[in-house]
Amino acid sequence: MREIKFRAWLWDERELHYVLKMDTVNNGYGKVWMIDTFHYKNISHFGLMQFTGLNDKNGVEIYEGDICSNEVAKWEVIFDTGCFCGKRIGGSDGTQNIHLALRAIRELSVIGNIHENPSLI
């Protein structure tokens, strides 16, 4: 059974945090999510990325939103039709919609993510 973990991109602070605890609380201003002991945020203030349960070829954990690469192409890790897979980035030959099975992605290297490294897309 795979470990269920998340990380969160905080839009206002432009920071990535690993989620230690996730819960909803009512702070008098409405319902917010507690993503760790220091950040109480409205759901619109951060983006959640789920751990796929796999590591890349260098042992780095692979999360939804990560960008992986090899010498041939770059792939964005997405959740599509009930499973994690890789969506090819770029390609002028119409191949940008090709999906790569996640078991193949773990043979690639994580080189960044869509929030901290948007230039990789």
Side-chain angles (χ1 to χ4, degrees):
M1 183 172 213
R2 79 177 171 87
E3 186 175 8
I4 305 295
K5 299 193 300 188
F6 292 89
R7 64 184 186 192
W9 175 254
L10 302 180
W11 295 108
D12 296 339
E13 292 87 352
R14 301 192 56 74
E15 295 176 347
L16 189 65
H17 290 263
Y18 288 85
V19 177
L20 304 175
K21 178 181 177 183
M22 193 166 45
D23 197 3
T24 58
V25 296
N26 191 328
N27 65 356
Y29 299 102
K31 192 178 279 189
V32 295
W33 288 84
M34 185 173 96
I35 59 171
D36 62 34
T37 56
F38 303 107
H39 294 90
Y40 289 88
K41 293 290 181 184
N42 184 297
I43 191 88
S44 64
H45 293 184
F46 64 90
L48 283 177
M49 295 164 275
Q50 188 172 358
F51 177 49
T52 63
L54 298 174
N55 296 1
D56 74 358
K57 70 178 188 177
N58 300 313
V60 176
E61 293 180 339
I62 302 173
Y63 282 80
E64 182 180 9
D66 277 345
I67 300 170
C68 300
S69 76
N70 61 11
E71 60 280 347
V72 178
K74 291 189 283 188
W75 306 85
E76 178 186 348
V77 178
I78 62 171
F79 188 80
D80 186 38
T81 321
C83 66
F84 290 104
C85 57
K87 181 178 179 185
R88 186 168 177 177
I89 298 171
S92 58
D93 58 357
T95 59
Q96 65 269 20
N97 292 324
I98 292 175
H99 285 60
L100 184 66
L102 196 57
R103 66 176 176 265
I105 287 180
R106 67 181 172 194
E107 301 302 320
L108 306 177
S109 297
V110 174
I111 59 171
N113 66 66
I114 60 173
H115 300 293
E116 294 179 303
N117 314 99
S119 62
L120 293 174
I121 296 180

